Amino acid sequence: MIAEPNTASNLPSQKENAVHDETAPESAVQNGSSVRNGNLKTPSEKRKVREQCENIKRNSSSSRRVSQLQNGEVVEAVTLFEVVSMGKRAMQSVVDDWVEAYKQDRNVALLDLINFFIQCSGCQGMVTAEMFQSLHKKDVMRKMTETFDEETGLQYKKFMAYPWILTVTWPVDTDNKDYPLIRTGPYWKKFKANFCEFIAVLVQQCQCNILYDSYLMDTIISLLTGLADSMVRAFRHTSTLAAMKLLTAVVSVHLNLDVNKHNAERLYEVEKKRTSGKRTNYRLDQLERKRKEYERKLLEIQNMMNAIFKGTFLNRYRDVIPEIRATCIEEIGSWIKTYPDGFLNDSYLKYIGWMLYDKQAEVRLKCLLGLQGIYSRKELVSRMDLFTSRFKDRIVSMPLDKDHEVAVQAMKLLMLMSQNCEDVLSTEDCETLYQFVYTTHRPLAVAAGEFLYKRLLSHEGDEEVQPEGGGKFGASTDRLKRLISFFLESELHKHVAYLIDSLWDWAGKFLKDWECMTTLLLKNAEEDGEALSDAHESALIEIILATVREAAEGHPPVGRGAAKKILSVKEKKIQLEDCTKITEHFIMVLPQLLAKYSTDAQKVANLLQIPQYYDLDVYRMEHLRKHLDALLREVKDIVAKHSDMSVLEASSRTYYILCSEEIAIYSQVDRARTQLIDELMGQLNQLLDGFWQKEEGFCTDAGEISQMHSALRRVAAFHNAHDLTKWNLYDKTLRLLVFEMEHGSLPVLMILPALQCMYFSLLWQLTAVSENSPKETLFTLRRELRCFSQICMCFLHHKEKDVREKAFMILCDWLLILSHQDSNNNEEAVGLLDYLPSTSLQEKLLLFIQKHVFMEEEEESKDLTEEEDRKDESCKLDDLHKKRSLLAAYCKLIVYNVVEMSAAAEIYKYYVKTYNDFGDIIKETLSKTRHNNKIQSTKTLILCLQQLFQTHAESQDSSSSVDFHSASFTNMKELARRFSLTFGWDQVKSRESVAMIHKEGIEFAFQGATGVGGKCLPPNLSFLLIISEFSNKLLKPDKRLVYAYLQRYIAEPLPCRGDEWQPLIWYRNSLLANEDEESSVLGSSGELSPVGTSKMSSFKRKLSNGSLPVTSQTEAEGKAPDLQCSSQLASAEGKRRKRLKSREMHLQEHLPFLCPGGLQRRYCKDEIKTEDVSKKSQAEDTTEDVDVDVVSADQDS
């Protein structure tokens, strides 16, 4: 423990004087106590102290600088703080110099160290010291205070750092604003590291002698304990960090002493067994003295550790500042790991366990990192049983932490606990943790992948022990089956790519064993009774596809990771090697797999995606050409067997990948493709001929309809990726669609693929337009484009829902393409083919969205079983997905200026009502349109609110006043609030837009006002309540201008009787919300008598004294209307504007639409009436005008 303070009689008086002379200027230190708050008798003395504190940096530096001659040059010594902050590399030499100074004069050196800690706290004040002389300890402790002198603005902290009583004085305005430990940038990060290193090196250098002198450590511990109890964050944070690092360094010293003591005991025992003799007895005595010395030092070190722990840690580990709590927890974790014999017990572990529940992620993270260091050592885990049982549930729940890094470290900690603690995690715990492999946050998923691989998939001895009958893939086959079982049991079958990505870093070699996987698939049940089931085969094929994609692309799946990661040279080399390996293996195996599963659409669709990851240059080898023929043959058979769109699209893409003109196999694949398309078109032509030959051109046979449907789907799938123009598909599909328009009797199964074929045909023709295209071709194409658009418009009203939605999607994409096509720099082609929708077409598109997206269909309430209810929910989700696709397609037309931006007003009306379903799409549309044209986008917002307000007004009874509490009005205010939130925090960026909203809103609110001078109630006055939601987005000068613009429409005096004028009052209050703004916003009428300097304070006083308070409706009903209006408007009408000319010139430059000439002329009289304002007021005005200029400069930039 720290020794009790001694009396002053034991200390020489000369050292006292030296202390005073060294720590403070003579004028500030008299008898060691002149700077205390109670001793400052006169204002001049207090002012003098404040000046000294403001210049303390210069004073403290100059008091320490000593000129010395070294090699003929003058070298200036600097303070410890300057040395550490500058990052001197030779920290050892700095500490050695201080130790030498301590040995010469320990009081001076200690005060240097005290000043160092005070300066590291960022204190710009002054430290004075007086020797502890009083025998009355209680009286001294009663004076250990921390006070604030309001007159001088100085903060005082007085506390004991034995053998001194220190008084720290600093300006209060620099209290918690900034100090070195929280400053940002590489310089200050390095300072923190240097600060910690200095403490460690200091203890290390002092451990031989002066560390045990009962003076140095007592003073330092007293100092840090006193500062750690301060209300000032800077003192508390810096001293806590120093104390924790000091204890860490002392723990290291304790460990060294413990080793030395143990060695001395061993030597003593060895010497004791030797032959007795004088020399031997002397040696024993020497070793005994050394052992006792080590014991004494260990006892002192233990006392130091207890003093720091109880004096600092116990008070600060629950500090209100999270950085301080994190520091304490980080260091206690270090103590437990470094010195487990002293700290690894429940008395210390409980603090880490408690702080696992801390609200700050930083603190929870330090707890987990500390526990990782403990649980990683098996010899320590056996002593953690009680802690593990008490806090295991909390740790298991922490992978769900909202902070990603905490979740990742929690998963890693659980991995260590699983490895080193037997049966600590139950089966339920493990099953819960396994599911984190599907999370979107990749680091957490990878950590969960490690847990899954090591806990479930990888068993020790798998490589050595081969299962019976497993062959050379025995161990891999066993792992693969466990992986498939886990994947099927998790019931998240569409997320296999996430599962593989999570395991990739830990099981990459195993997951690249495609030979084992394909061998398992091709194995026959007759050969081996353990062949895979159908579900296991489907899962394994999905796993194969996911592993091939991961190896070939080298980046995480969609949704996991912000963007594609940049591969290093080594990673690119591995990726190329994997692609070659994939190609060489699957070139031979894939045809066999396709032949085996040719009747299973899902399996074939997945297998056909593998060729897109081939390295096609491998096909240059002649011996592999036969495998290419086999692949093309199997794909052709699959196309003939299946009409499933996923299979057909995968087959079409396979031909597209293999038909690259740059590779040697192009001619071979192109022949096979042409032959296949000829067969497909032949089948389609035959079916169409039979169809048109029938009476009335319509077939009722379900088999013929199915055949026609399959033929059209096959052609559409190939037309998507291949140019089939030479087969004249346009005319064939046009005839079908025209027939449907005229008769309306074709089945949906024929209409949808025919519409798709016609769309692809026109796209290929549009792509083929070149600079040399003849006019006849362009006119023909233009006619076909107009014809197709008319067909789509007609189908918007089709009786079948699928046809309507398909026609709308194609029409939106078609309009977008036509309005942005460049036709290979052929300007004439652009002019002929350009097609912007007419007004009627725009109205039809908007009406379609309103009717089929936003209008909810009436549902009949039915009693459904659980299975039927699940299917119904699935149908609802599919329907919502289709609606979102329709809305997104239309919003793209708005964003890319295909339809008028004002059409978005109808979409914005549903922003709040449909926020859960479509809020993200509408918000993104608003953001994109604002980026394209700020003003036009703003007018669209205000148009939306105006239309809603008019609808609300029409629904109200004309004889009654507006109900501000009705659902429709509340929804309008909420919509306006949501709109205001979209402008963000950058008021300068949105300045012009927000001002436009207020201008348009004011004009709309006073539209239609009747009576003489507009004294009658305007019908739209309550609209001001709506636009008041945007007042908080106005800059201060813009609020003044908007207020002035509002005054143009207000007759004076205003006959405000009753609650109908409340919207005006509330809106004016929203413009006068802040005290600073109210001081400069005045009414525009009435007389203001000249005021002098003495009246300016009351002139600038807040308007709350009888100004414009926001009055609720209930309060308003209880007051007389005349008195209410007069009390609310009197002060605003009785004040005058200042700085009109400078403000008007500035704001007219930036917001000209709010500064008409009439408005400027109106303020001429007010400008003259404020001439009597004093020069002091004019100076303040100039300052405010400068603020306005700064804002404008930001806007311009």
Side-chain angles (χ1 to χ4, degrees):
M1 298 294 293
I2 301 176
E4 292 292 331
N6 298 325
T7 58
S9 60
N10 297 329
L11 300 172
S13 58
Q14 293 178 353
K15 299 233 175 155
E16 269 187 57
N17 298 331
V19 167
H20 295 312
D21 294 339
E22 192 68 17
T23 54
E26 293 181 359
S27 58
V29 181
Q30 296 174 2
N31 299 325
S33 59
S34 66
V35 296
R36 285 175 290 176
N37 193 19
N39 293 335
L40 297 175
K41 300 298 184 181
T42 64
S44 60
E45 291 179 1
K46 295 181 178 181
R47 196 181 312 112
K48 194 171 186 180
V49 171
R50 180 173 179 82
E51 291 173 357
Q52 292 168 350
C53 290
E54 290 173 349
N55 296 284
I56 187 58
K57 188 173 183 179
R58 174 177 54 81
N59 292 337
S60 61
S61 299
S62 61
S63 64
R64 278 284 292 124
R65 289 203 172 104
V66 181
S67 298
Q68 297 177 349
L69 284 175
Q70 294 183 3
N71 298 327
E73 297 181 359
V74 178
V75 179
E76 287 189 343
V78 292
T79 63
L80 288 174
F81 173 75
E82 290 171 340
V83 171
V84 173
S85 62
M86 287 188 297
K88 295 291 186 183
R89 294 182 180 179
M91 192 69 70
Q92 190 88 23
S93 61
V94 173
V95 174
D96 289 341
D97 292 343
W98 184 87
V99 171
E100 289 299 322
Y102 181 85
K103 291 177 180 179
Q104 295 176 10
D105 191 335
R106 64 182 185 179
N107 286 336
V108 174
L110 264 180
L111 283 173
D112 262 351
L113 192 61
I114 292 172
N115 268 303
F116 166 73
F117 285 115
I118 298 296
Q119 289 178 318
C120 287
S121 301
C123 179
Q124 300 297 320
M126 178 172 55
V127 182
T128 58
E130 55 182 314
M131 281 298 185
F132 177 69
Q133 298 175 352
S134 174
L135 295 176
H136 304 287
K137 182 180 178 182
K138 292 183 179 179
D139 182 62
V140 173
M141 297 307 295
R142 184 172 53 83
K143 293 182 180 180
M144 301 295 105
T145 57
E146 187 168 333
T147 58
F148 169 59
D149 186 358
E150 296 184 0
E151 186 172 345
T152 61
L154 296 177
Q155 190 90 1
Y156 295 86
K157 179 173 179 61
K158 181 179 180 182
F159 61 98
M160 175 175 289
Y162 179 79
W164 297 294
I165 299 175
L166 299 178
T167 303
V168 185
T169 311
W170 71 96
V172 73
D173 55 356
T174 60
D175 187 2
N176 282 329
K177 304 298 182 184
D178 188 24
Y179 56 95
L181 289 185
I182 64 171
R183 289 174 186 161
T184 57
Y187 178 83
W188 294 110
K189 287 183 180 179
K190 190 175 180 181
F191 168 80
K192 182 178 180 180
N194 293 336
F195 178 71
C196 298
E197 182 188 358
F198 174 81
I199 296 173
V201 174
L202 177 65
V203 174
Q204 181 183 1
Q205 294 301 102
C206 298
Q207 65 178 335
C208 296
N209 42 29
I210 63 176
L211 193 67
Y212 314 100
D213 65 354
S214 300
Y215 191 79
L216 170 66
M217 290 302 291
D218 287 358
T219 304
I220 295 178
I221 293 174
S222 298
L223 169 72
L224 297 179
T225 303
L227 290 177
D229 288 335
S230 172
M231 293 183 296
V232 181
R233 169 179 173 171
F235 287 151
R236 219 165 57 246
H237 188 182
T238 307
S239 60
T240 302
L241 175 63
M244 296 300 99
K245 292 298 181 182
L246 182 65
L247 181 50
T248 302
V250 170
V251 167
S252 299
V253 174
H254 187 283
L255 292 175
N256 293 334
L257 287 174
D258 202 26
V259 171
N260 294 336
K261 176 191 170 186
H262 181 68
N263 292 337
E265 289 176 345
R266 289 180 61 188
L267 288 174
Y268 180 82
E269 293 298 329
V270 170
E271 289 291 335
K272 193 174 181 181
K273 292 178 182 180
R274 283 182 157 192
T275 308
S276 58
K278 291 185 178 180
R279 176 177 296 180
T280 305
N281 291 335
Y282 172 75
R283 177 67 173 164
L284 284 176
D285 294 340
Q286 187 181 22
L287 291 174
E288 179 68 16
R289 285 195 302 272
K290 185 176 292 188
R291 185 178 63 82
K292 289 182 178 180
E293 180 183 357
Y294 285 141
E295 289 179 350
R296 179 185 62 81
K297 289 183 177 180
L298 282 172
L299 181 62
E300 289 190 27
I301 289 294
Q302 192 64 44
N303 289 335
M304 296 176 195
M305 291 163 57
N306 291 334
I308 299 174
F309 186 84
K310 293 177 181 178
T312 304
F313 180 89
L314 290 182
N315 295 326
R316 298 278 67 83
Y317 85 96
R318 293 177 298 178
D319 196 278
V320 68
I321 305 301
E323 290 88 347
I324 297 178
R325 302 198 301 271
T327 299
C328 293
I329 296 302
E330 181 181 13
E331 293 305 315
I332 194 175
S334 172
W335 307 332
I336 294 173
K337 184 179 178 181
T338 306
Y339 183 31
D341 293 337
F343 288 97
L344 186 55
N345 55 66
D346 297 324
S347 300
Y348 295 98
L349 286 172
K350 64 183 180 183
Y351 300 112
I352 298 181
W354 291 343
M355 301 313 287
L356 286 171
Y357 297 88
D358 195 275
K359 292 182 179 180
Q360 294 295 324
E362 180 185 2
V363 182
R364 300 195 298 272
L365 181 61
K366 296 299 182 183
C367 294
L368 294 171
L369 294 175
L371 290 174
Q372 286 179 16
I374 300 171
Y375 277 102
S376 62
R377 297 168 59 180
K378 284 189 176 182
E379 69 273 12
L380 303 182
V381 172
S382 59
R383 300 156 67 177
M384 299 279 293
D385 293 339
L386 181 60
F387 177 88
T388 303
S389 62
R390 169 66 179 83
F391 294 103
K392 185 204 75 172
D393 292 339
R394 170 58 181 162
I395 298 173
V396 170
S397 69
M398 291 186 76
L400 290 170
D401 198 283
K402 62 182 180 180
D403 184 83
H404 290 320
E405 187 60 26
V406 172
V408 172
Q409 298 304 327
M411 185 61 72
K412 292 182 178 180
L413 174 60
L414 289 165
M415 180 71 249
L416 294 172
M417 294 173 65
S418 173
Q419 288 178 333
N420 299 327
C421 302
E422 294 183 1
D423 302 327
V424 67
L425 298 178
S426 64
T427 305
E428 293 76 13
D429 293 334
C430 292
E431 290 177 353
T432 302
L433 297 174
Y434 291 156
Q435 300 305 315
F436 283 96
V437 296
Y438 296 107
T439 186
T440 55
H441 183 60
R442 191 173 191 275
L444 177 58
V446 170
E450 179 188 10
F451 184 83
L452 172 65
Y453 180 71
K454 293 182 178 179
R455 178 91 183 185
L456 183 66
L457 302 181
S458 177
H459 292 166
E460 293 184 4
D462 276 355
E463 300 295 336
E464 293 79 8
V465 180
Q466 299 288 346
E468 295 182 4
K472 66 174 183 178
F473 303 116
S476 296
T477 301
D478 189 44
R479 291 183 193 175
L480 201 54
K481 289 181 178 180
R482 289 197 294 266
L483 177 60
I484 294 171
S485 299
F486 168 75
F487 175 57
L488 293 176
E489 291 170 2
S490 64
E491 298 182 355
L492 295 170
H493 308 297
K494 295 182 180 179
H495 297 79
V496 64
Y498 289 83
L499 172 61
I500 297 303
D501 182 60
S502 301
L503 293 169
W504 195 256
D505 292 349
W506 306 104
K509 183 179 179 181
F510 155 64
L511 293 174
K512 293 178 184 179
D513 193 355
W514 295 294
E515 186 179 357
C516 172
M517 298 179 187
T518 54
T519 302
L520 194 59
L521 282 175
L522 294 172
K523 189 181 295 184
N524 295 323
E526 292 78 11
E527 300 175 4
D528 190 346
E530 297 181 358
L532 299 176
S533 65
D534 182 69
H536 283 67
E537 287 178 340
S538 298
L540 181 53
I541 290 175
E542 291 185 40
I543 290 173
I544 290 174
L545 176 60
T547 55
V548 168
R549 181 188 295 115
E550 186 83 20
E553 294 182 347
H555 59 78
V558 177
R560 180 178 284 179
K564 295 182 180 180
K565 66 177 183 179
I566 301 175
L567 301 179
S568 63
V569 176
K570 183 179 179 181
E571 290 173 333
K572 288 181 179 179
K573 182 181 179 181
I574 295 174
Q575 184 181 15
L576 292 175
E577 292 174 354
D578 289 340
C579 286
T580 304
K581 183 180 177 182
I582 290 168
T583 308
E584 292 175 349
H585 177 70
F586 283 98
I587 276 179
M588 296 180 288
V589 176
L590 185 59
Q592 303 175 39
L593 294 173
L594 291 175
K596 181 176 180 179
Y597 301 109
S598 60
T599 57
D600 192 317
Q602 181 185 0
K603 295 174 184 175
V604 167
N606 288 327
L607 289 172
L608 284 174
Q609 295 182 50
I610 295 178
Q612 64 182 297
Y613 303 107
Y614 280 1
D615 179 10
L616 297 178
D617 290 334
V618 176
Y619 274 118
R620 294 178 183 275
M621 305 176 189
E622 289 296 331
H623 68 280
L624 296 177
R625 294 294 180 92
K626 60 180 181 180
H627 299 295
L628 176 61
D629 290 333
L631 175 62
L632 295 175
R633 185 168 55 252
E634 293 298 333
V635 174
K636 181 179 178 181
D637 292 342
I638 288 170
V639 172
K641 290 178 182 178
H642 293 276
S643 61
D644 185 83
M645 208 61 191
S646 60
V647 177
L648 295 175
E649 288 178 351
S651 303
S652 175
R653 180 164 182 79
T654 301
Y655 275 104
Y656 176 77
I657 295 295
L658 298 175
C659 273
S660 177
E661 297 183 3
E662 293 81 11
I663 59 177
I665 61 174
Y666 169 73
S667 58
Q668 182 180 354
V669 179
D670 185 51
R671 284 195 303 271
R673 178 183 62 175
T674 305
Q675 183 182 358
L676 174 61
I677 295 175
D678 283 337
E679 293 179 5
L680 295 179
M681 291 303 301
Q683 295 173 6
L684 179 61
N685 290 333
Q686 185 179 357
L687 291 171
L688 286 175
D689 291 341
F691 174 76
W692 295 119
Q693 288 174 4
K694 288 183 177 291
E695 186 178 356
E696 297 181 357
F698 179 69
C699 59
T700 56
D701 183 63
E704 293 182 7
I705 294 175
S706 178
Q707 290 179 5
M708 181 72 74
H709 169 66
S710 299
L712 285 170
R713 283 170 71 97
R714 292 188 183 101
V715 173
F718 274 84
H719 208 355
N720 187 12
H722 308 275
D723 187 4
L724 309 184
T725 306
K726 63 180 180 179
W727 281 273
N728 196 21
L729 195 58
Y730 175 83
D731 293 337
K732 297 178 176 61
T733 53
L734 175 63
R735 187 177 178 185
L736 277 175
L737 297 178
V738 171
F739 178 85
E740 169 62 18
M741 291 174 61
E742 295 175 352
H743 299 86
S745 54
L746 284 181
V748 179
L749 294 178
M750 292 176 60
I751 298 173
L752 294 179
L755 196 61
Q756 195 75 46
C757 284
M758 190 174 183
Y759 174 56
F760 290 146
S761 178
L762 290 175
L763 283 180
W764 281 108
Q765 292 185 53
L766 194 62
T767 306
V769 173
S770 64
E771 188 175 354
N772 300 323
S773 298
K775 284 189 177 182
E776 293 76 10
T777 304
L778 296 178
F779 280 114
T780 303
L781 180 56
R782 181 181 182 184
R783 183 174 62 254
E784 292 174 352
L785 297 180
R786 299 298 189 268
C787 178
F788 180 69
S789 300
Q790 291 298 323
I791 293 174
C792 291
M793 290 172 61
C794 178
F795 284 166
L796 290 178
H797 307 286
H798 199 275
K799 60 183 178 180
E800 295 292 339
K801 178 182 177 183
D802 292 339
V803 176
R804 294 195 302 264
E805 293 178 350
K806 189 68 173 178
F808 182 84
M809 292 294 295
I810 289 178
L811 186 57
C812 288
D813 291 344
W814 190 236
L815 292 173
L816 188 62
I817 292 171
L818 291 180
S819 61
H820 289 79
Q821 50 89 25
D822 57 3
S823 296
N824 297 323
N825 300 322
N826 190 340
E827 296 182 2
E828 185 177 6
V830 172
L832 288 173
L833 301 178
D834 190 24
Y835 181 72
L836 291 176
S838 62
T839 305
S840 61
L841 178 55
Q842 294 186 36
E843 293 175 354
K844 289 180 181 179
L845 294 174
L846 180 58
L847 185 62
F848 183 91
I849 287 294
Q850 291 175 322
K851 184 177 180 181
H852 299 288
V853 174
F854 294 119
M855 297 298 179
E856 297 181 359
E857 299 178 359
E858 296 183 2
E859 299 180 0
E860 298 180 2
S861 57
K862 299 178 181 179
D863 296 332
L864 303 176
T865 63
E866 184 177 352
E867 182 67 24
E868 291 174 342
D869 186 61
R870 187 160 55 249
K871 290 182 179 179
D872 185 58
E873 286 297 323
S874 178
C875 292
K876 287 181 179 178
L877 287 176
D878 292 340
D879 187 56
L880 176 60
H881 178 71
K882 291 179 181 179
K883 288 182 176 181
R884 286 175 57 85
S885 299
L886 294 172
L887 179 60
Y890 181 74
C891 288
K892 280 194 293 185
L893 300 182
I894 298 173
V895 170
Y896 291 101
N897 299 319
V898 179
V899 301
E900 295 179 2
M901 194 181 293
S902 57
E906 294 294 334
I907 306 296
Y908 296 159
K909 292 178 182 179
Y910 301 95
Y911 182 49
V912 175
K913 183 179 178 182
T914 62
Y915 184 80
N916 292 333
D917 295 336
F918 311 114
D920 56 336
I921 299 175
I922 299 176
K923 187 175 181 180
E924 185 66 16
T925 304
L926 199 158
S927 174
K928 294 292 185 181
T929 53
R930 183 174 296 158
H931 177 74
N932 295 339
N933 191 327
K934 288 183 180 180
I935 297 299
Q936 190 61 35
S937 175
T938 304
K939 289 183 177 180
T940 305
L941 291 183
I942 198 69
L943 176 64
C944 171
L945 296 174
Q946 290 172 357
Q947 290 176 352
L948 285 174
F949 182 84
Q950 288 175 340
T951 304
H952 169 76
E954 292 171 359
S955 64
Q956 297 289 317
D957 186 3
S958 58
S959 59
S960 62
S961 59
V962 177
D963 184 8
F964 300 145
H965 301 285
S966 64
S968 60
F969 195 85
T970 305
N971 290 338
M972 275 191 292
K973 280 186 65 67
E974 175 62 17
L975 181 61
R977 188 185 72 83
R978 297 283 186 96
F979 285 163
S980 69
L981 292 177
T982 62
F983 287 103
W985 294 102
D986 192 348
Q987 291 179 306
V988 176
K989 186 177 180 180
S990 59
R991 182 182 192 184
E992 192 174 1
S993 301
V994 176
M996 174 65 72
I997 288 178
H998 284 274
K999 173 184 177 295
E1000 298 283 342
I1002 292 172
E1003 291 176 355
F1004 178 77
F1006 288 94
Q1007 186 178 1
T1010 58
V1012 180
K1015 294 184 179 181
C1016 292
L1017 181 71
N1020 301 333
L1021 187 66
S1022 55
F1023 188 73
L1024 293 176
L1025 285 178
I1026 306 298
I1027 62 173
S1028 66
E1029 296 291 338
F1030 298 90
S1031 296
N1032 63 336
K1033 297 297 180 181
L1034 284 169
L1035 292 169
K1036 291 181 181 180
D1038 296 346
K1039 281 189 176 183
R1040 301 171 192 145
L1041 185 58
V1042 170
Y1043 182 86
Y1045 192 76
L1046 177 67
Q1047 295 297 97
R1048 297 182 60 206
Y1049 295 90
I1050 301 177
E1052 300 167 355
L1054 186 63
C1056 48
R1057 299 177 179 274
D1059 293 340
E1060 61 272 10
W1061 290 94
Q1062 278 296 317
L1064 174 61
I1065 297 170
W1066 286 338
Y1067 181 58
R1068 294 178 70 168
N1069 285 340
S1070 71
L1071 299 177
L1072 305 174
N1074 297 328
E1075 181 178 356
D1076 293 339
E1077 297 158 19
E1078 291 172 3
S1079 65
S1080 58
V1081 179
L1082 311 122
S1084 59
S1085 64
E1087 295 297 326
L1088 178 67
S1089 56
V1091 291
T1093 310
S1094 60
K1095 300 295 183 180
M1096 286 308 298
S1097 59
S1098 60
F1099 178 77
K1100 291 193 172 184
R1101 203 161 47 233
K1102 189 175 179 180
L1103 293 178
S1104 58
N1105 300 329
S1107 60
L1108 304 175
V1110 179
T1111 310
S1112 66
Q1113 189 174 5
T1114 344
E1115 294 172 343
E1117 292 173 357
K1119 298 181 181 179
D1122 294 342
L1123 295 176
Q1124 180 185 358
C1125 294
S1126 60
S1127 64
Q1128 289 175 335
L1129 299 178
S1131 63
E1133 292 175 351
K1135 295 184 180 293
R1136 280 295 170 268
R1137 293 189 175 274
K1138 303 178 297 179
R1139 306 175 308 278
L1140 291 172
K1141 187 172 182 179
S1142 60
R1143 187 170 65 249
E1144 287 300 326
M1145 291 176 62
H1146 165 72
L1147 294 175
Q1148 185 178 8
E1149 178 183 355
H1150 292 281
L1151 303 172
F1153 49 80
L1154 285 177
C1155 294
L1159 181 60
Q1160 296 177 25
R1161 289 192 299 271
R1162 177 177 179 174
Y1163 293 142
C1164 289
K1165 292 190 295 183
D1166 295 337
E1167 189 175 339
I1168 297 172
K1169 292 176 184 178
T1170 56
E1171 289 178 352
D1172 293 330
V1173 177
S1174 67
K1175 294 182 179 179
K1176 180 180 179 180
S1177 172
Q1178 292 173 1
E1180 295 172 353
D1181 297 344
T1182 307
T1183 304
E1184 293 190 21
D1185 289 335
V1186 170
D1187 294 338
V1188 175
D1189 292 337
V1190 171
V1191 172
S1192 67
D1194 294 340
Q1195 176 72 14
D1196 294 340
S1197 61

